[in-house]
Amino acid sequence: MRFAVALLSLLGVASVIGTVLQQNQPAANYLVKFGPFWSQIYQFLGLYDVYASAWFVVIMLFLVISTGLCLTRNVPPFLREIKSYRENAKEKSLAAMRHSVLLEDNLSPEVAARYLEVQGFSAKTVAREDGSVLVAAKKGAMNKWGYIFAHAALIVICLGGLIDSNLLLKIGMLTGRIVPDNNAMYAKDFKPESVLGAGNLSFRGNVNITEGQSADVVFLNADSGMLVQDLPFEVKLKKFHIDFYNTGMPRDFASDLEVTDKATGEKIEQTIRVNHPLTLHGITIYQASFADGGSDLKFKAWNLADPDREPVTLKATSMREFPLNIGDTAYKLEFDQFTALNVEDMSKPSENQAQSLQNTINDVRAVTQENKRFTNIGPSVIYRIRDNAGQAVEYKNYMLPIKQEEDYFFITGTRKGLDQQYRWLRIPMDRDGKIDTFMAMRELLRDGDARKKAVAQATRGAPADIREQFSLAAANTLSVFAQGGYLALDQFVTQNIPQAEQEKMQGYFYQMLFGVMNAVLDETLQKYNLGGWPQDEARQRFLLHSMDAYTGLTEYPAPMLLQLDGYTEVRSSGLQMTRSPGASLVYLGSVLLVLGTVFMFYIREKRAWLLFSDGRIRFAMSSSRNERDLQKEFPQHTQRLQQLAKDLNHDRPH
């Protein structure tokens, strides 16, 4: 019993882990969530597929064996006990019971048996060789079935779990008959030993189908690789539907499917949605998720080695790869998922806004949390630029400007590893809601003649005796900033100014730079016909943000800046397909467990005896549980039996 309880406790803890931690997700998801160290430890422990892990299966096997032995040993005595009336009870043993009494009045065995039957007992009268007569009765014998059902439920549930735990798959992998593949990208590329037949006993796999396309296989996560599971039918996604809340959160999504039976050619059309699956050939098709199916994207692209403010138009498709040649250098442009809606909690204090973007969560699971205001901040796309050495930097670009504090920014995040947070480049939006003013300022800063003109305008009001010296200092400051932003200016101060005066001179240079940059903005607006901009607080903030963005762009880890400018969305439906014959056993075991609990806790086994011997009547009762009830019932039965005897013998002389 202690061993079984210990195993059940372990299974309970494991089940909690399997419920809290999403199972069978791509390895990259766990790497992002837990980091490279803990993700490997959790994978080694089998926490990403708890119910099919070796230790979980072994625990269930031991529990089945332990409980099965317990049932084998105890069921025969239980069944004998259920049938038995214990008619061999001796007077001495009856007298020794806690609830035992001698009845004062005479009563016949037939009447006593009839009384007990009326009270719900099953009675049996036995005439003994010594001349005594015993009326033995019992009630609630089904209580014993509670123990049998409860123990049988554990066995049935564990057997169902074992059937659905891919035990045969694990054995096949251990013997080398089944080999997961971690290199193939498409189903047709998997080797025969990585493909499972349609007759596989149980599986749980996922597949994404783009609108208008079909699939006749699903992919199974197996250790560090993947397996392909053939299906007895082909599933085609005709149309994907999705509705949203006002916040932008998905409210409902569904798939119009056309399923074609491979054997008969019969076609079935049905719409499935969350909690409304379709079952065919013992395989249940669930609506699990939705994703990008290869959307058409349009970008504005700036070659960062070229100061030209005018972008080129670049067209691409998400979930695809494209060659990217810049000068003599060849890169590979790898597009990941496009997301049309990004729901963020925008209720945080403004000083935390930048940090909240670093922890971007595209799938917000609750829209009614207190003190949170979820907002759709528009489309985004993730892409990577990979060099010839295979090194890649990942980028996440938002199409629409995002408000932070008082102003709006076009935002692009960068990171070099999945375990890192994004670092954000924030380019300020101009009065027309565009990026044009900033890019025009960037072009002007890279033009030496234009810088001289801006410096002359900025120093026009300086006193004549210091104007030349002041102009030279302003020109040098602007030139250094144009080369590398604030970082270059800090480096210049560190290398050329004595340490004792560096802090003072930094403040001086920054004040001078801001004044010259104000002239640069005026020159930009005039040169490119961008209209006037009065000296107000919004202009000052734009200028400061532009200086920050220019600095960030000089350190931007990419040869090209891409800004999403348009899209045509194509969605794919994420379907989960499962064959789980063990589920029926689990349901049956659950029913047995409920029945066992009811029988054990709500049905009380009680025994009663009336022994007629030598003119005396001994009445005794016992109960396997809950003596408190019997303390009330025994006096009541005693009183009723005596009253019954008096009523039947009222005309007889005493």
Side-chain angles (χ1 to χ4, degrees):
M1 178 64 72
R2 288 193 295 269
F3 182 61
V5 170
L7 294 180
L8 281 173
S9 300
L10 287 175
L11 287 179
V13 172
S15 298
V16 170
I17 296 173
T19 302
V20 173
L21 179 62
Q22 276 191 301
Q23 303 287 284
N24 296 304
Q25 298 296 303
N29 292 7
Y30 296 119
L31 182 63
V32 172
K33 184 177 293 186
F34 302 117
F37 177 75
W38 287 108
S39 63
Q40 291 184 12
I41 292 180
Y42 293 158
Q43 183 178 10
F44 175 76
L45 294 175
L47 301 187
Y48 302 149
D49 192 7
V50 169
Y51 306 111
S53 62
W55 56 269
F56 192 88
V57 171
V58 169
I59 290 175
M60 286 197 293
L61 282 172
F62 269 107
L63 191 58
V64 168
I65 295 172
S66 174
T67 310
L69 291 174
C70 181
L71 273 183
T72 303
R73 184 177 61 184
N74 292 312
V75 165
F78 279 172
L79 294 178
R80 289 195 297 269
E81 181 70 11
I82 291 172
K83 297 178 181 179
S84 172
Y85 284 86
R86 298 183 187 175
E87 60 267 26
N88 295 323
K90 305 297 182 181
E91 182 174 4
K92 185 177 180 179
S93 62
L94 294 177
M97 290 183 180
R98 177 180 299 182
H99 303 286
S100 180
V101 69
L102 285 173
L103 300 181
E104 298 175 356
D105 295 301
N106 190 19
L107 191 69
S108 68
E110 292 78 10
V111 172
R114 180 58 181 160
Y115 168 79
L116 292 173
E117 290 173 352
V118 171
Q119 295 299 319
F121 288 84
S122 174
K124 181 178 181 181
T125 303
V126 180
R128 298 184 173 182
E129 294 180 357
D130 59 0
S132 62
V133 177
L134 178 68
V135 177
K138 62 181 180 179
K139 181 168 71 171
M142 291 295 291
N143 173 268
K144 291 289 190 297
W145 281 105
Y147 295 93
I148 297 174
F149 286 160
H151 286 74
L154 292 179
I155 295 176
V156 172
I157 291 174
C158 288
L159 286 176
L162 288 171
I163 292 174
D164 290 346
S165 66
N166 294 330
L167 182 58
L168 297 179
L169 178 63
K170 297 288 184 181
I171 295 174
M173 291 169 58
L174 288 174
T175 58
R177 184 173 54 86
I178 299 173
V179 180
D181 194 318
N182 55 6
N183 295 318
M185 293 291 293
Y186 303 99
K188 62 182 178 62
D189 299 328
F190 279 74
K191 299 176 182 178
E193 57 268 24
S194 302
V195 180
L196 305 178
N200 189 17
L201 181 62
S202 67
F203 61 85
R204 182 185 298 270
N206 299 279
V207 65
N208 284 320
I209 307 178
T210 304
E211 290 177 334
Q213 296 184 355
S214 59
D216 60 355
V217 299
V218 292
F219 297 91
L220 313 182
N221 290 315
D223 293 340
S224 59
M226 301 287 291
L227 296 172
V228 171
Q229 172 65 59
D230 279 332
L231 300 174
F233 48 75
E234 182 180 68
V235 181
K236 180 179 180 180
L237 177 62
K238 300 184 69 176
K239 185 68 177 177
F240 182 79
H241 309 275
I242 185 168
D243 294 323
F244 299 93
Y245 292 102
N246 293 333
T247 59
M249 278 296 301
R251 178 174 59 186
D252 180 44
F253 47 95
S255 299
D256 295 339
L257 301 181
E258 181 183 87
V259 184
T260 304
D261 191 296
K262 290 182 178 178
T264 64
E266 180 183 0
K267 295 182 182 293
I268 298 175
E269 293 188 5
Q270 185 165 329
T271 299
I272 66 169
R273 51 177 27 92
V274 179
N275 297 326
H276 294 82
L278 170 65
T279 301
L280 289 172
H281 296 284
I283 300 174
T284 303
I285 307 174
Y286 295 95
Q287 178 67 70
S289 62
F290 63 92
D292 179 30
S295 300
D296 295 327
L297 308 175
K298 185 174 74 171
F299 293 90
K300 291 180 178 179
W302 290 270
N303 183 352
L304 296 182
D306 185 351
D308 191 359
R309 68 187 180 93
E310 293 294 338
V312 297
T313 299
L314 186 150
K315 294 184 178 181
T317 304
S318 62
M319 315 299 290
R320 301 288 190 274
E321 297 180 0
F322 300 90
L324 177 65
N325 297 318
I326 300 179
D328 296 331
T329 307
Y331 299 91
K332 184 184 293 183
L333 194 55
E334 304 170 353
F335 287 96
D336 207 330
Q337 289 194 9
F338 165 78
T339 306
L341 293 170
N342 288 274
V343 180
E344 300 287 346
D345 174 20
M346 307 301 288
S347 61
K348 295 183 179 180
S350 57
E351 61 269 19
N352 292 332
Q353 289 288 341
Q355 178 64 23
S356 70
L357 278 174
Q358 293 181 4
N359 298 298
T360 299
I361 300 175
N362 290 334
D363 180 18
V364 182
R365 302 186 186 281
V367 297
T368 59
Q369 299 181 37
E370 295 182 1
N371 303 321
K372 291 183 180 289
R373 179 173 59 86
F374 293 106
T375 304
N376 173 27
I377 58 176
S380 70
V381 65
I382 295 175
Y383 62 93
R384 285 172 292 276
I385 297 179
R386 191 178 302 276
D387 59 22
N388 285 330
Q391 300 296 317
V393 179
E394 183 176 283
Y395 304 85
K396 183 169 186 177
N397 178 249
Y398 287 88
M399 176 177 174
L400 302 179
I402 297 173
K403 187 175 183 181
Q404 293 186 333
E405 299 179 358
E406 301 178 73
D407 302 299
Y408 286 86
F409 300 85
F410 292 93
I411 292 181
T412 299
T414 66
R415 65 179 180 182
K416 295 185 177 180
L418 294 176
D419 57 330
Q420 298 179 356
Q421 298 286 353
Y422 283 110
R423 299 179 59 187
W424 298 97
L425 172 68
R426 308 187 310 161
I427 298 179
M429 180 188 78
D430 59 22
R431 293 171 301 166
D432 297 327
K434 299 179 180 180
I435 201 174
D436 296 357
T437 301
F438 171 80
M439 299 308 296
M441 285 182 63
R442 176 178 175 272
E443 180 183 77
L444 189 141
L445 280 173
R446 304 288 289 273
D447 184 347
D449 293 336
R451 287 201 308 269
K452 291 180 181 179
K453 189 174 181 181
V455 169
Q457 179 183 344
T459 59
R460 186 176 303 149
D465 55 337
I466 63 170
R467 184 179 303 162
E468 182 178 354
Q469 183 179 1
F470 184 72
S471 296
L472 181 60
N476 289 336
T477 301
L478 187 60
S479 177
V480 171
F481 181 81
Q483 294 175 17
Y486 286 130
L487 299 177
L489 193 59
D490 287 342
Q491 184 179 7
F492 175 83
V493 171
T494 302
Q495 293 178 351
N496 297 278
I497 305 297
Q499 186 173 359
E501 300 181 11
Q502 286 181 6
E503 184 175 354
K504 176 182 176 181
M505 292 304 297
Q506 278 180 341
Y508 172 74
F509 280 128
Y510 291 151
Q511 291 179 2
M512 181 185 297
L513 177 64
F514 183 78
V516 178
M517 285 297 295
N518 208 348
V520 169
L521 178 56
D522 285 335
E523 182 67 20
T524 300
L525 297 174
Q526 180 180 356
K527 180 177 180 180
Y528 300 109
N529 297 319
L530 298 176
W533 196 338
Q535 295 286 344
D536 56 12
E537 186 177 350
R539 172 187 168 120
Q540 306 304 316
R541 292 198 307 270
F542 174 83
L543 190 57
L544 290 172
H545 295 324
S546 296
M547 294 164 70
D548 292 338
Y550 186 88
T551 302
L553 204 55
T554 60
E555 295 292 313
Y556 192 66
M560 178 174 286
L561 176 66
L562 299 181
Q563 178 61 44
L564 184 61
D565 190 47
Y567 65 91
T568 300
E569 186 178 13
V570 177
R571 296 191 180 105
S572 70
S573 178
L575 304 179
Q576 183 181 88
M577 303 191 194
T578 66
R579 174 180 281 163
S580 52
S584 302
L585 291 178
V586 173
Y587 296 146
L588 175 60
S590 301
V591 173
L592 290 176
L593 190 58
V594 171
L595 291 176
T597 303
V598 170
F599 287 171
M600 283 193 295
F601 290 99
Y602 296 98
I603 297 179
R604 311 297 184 190
E605 183 186 17
K606 297 170 185 176
R607 300 273 180 171
W609 296 268
L610 286 106
L611 179 61
F612 299 81
S613 177
D614 299 330
R616 296 181 304 172
I617 304 176
R618 168 70 65 180
F619 175 52
M621 289 188 70
S622 70
S623 175
S624 60
R625 297 179 59 187
N626 207 337
E627 285 286 332
R628 183 180 301 175
D629 287 350
L630 203 56
Q631 289 175 1
K632 296 179 180 179
E633 292 183 22
F634 181 72
Q636 293 175 357
H637 287 304
T638 301
Q639 182 180 0
R640 291 170 184 170
L641 286 168
Q642 290 179 340
Q643 184 64 42
L644 182 60
K646 289 179 180 179
D647 293 342
L648 293 175
N649 298 314
H650 69 281
D651 55 346
R652 296 184 183 180
H654 294 280

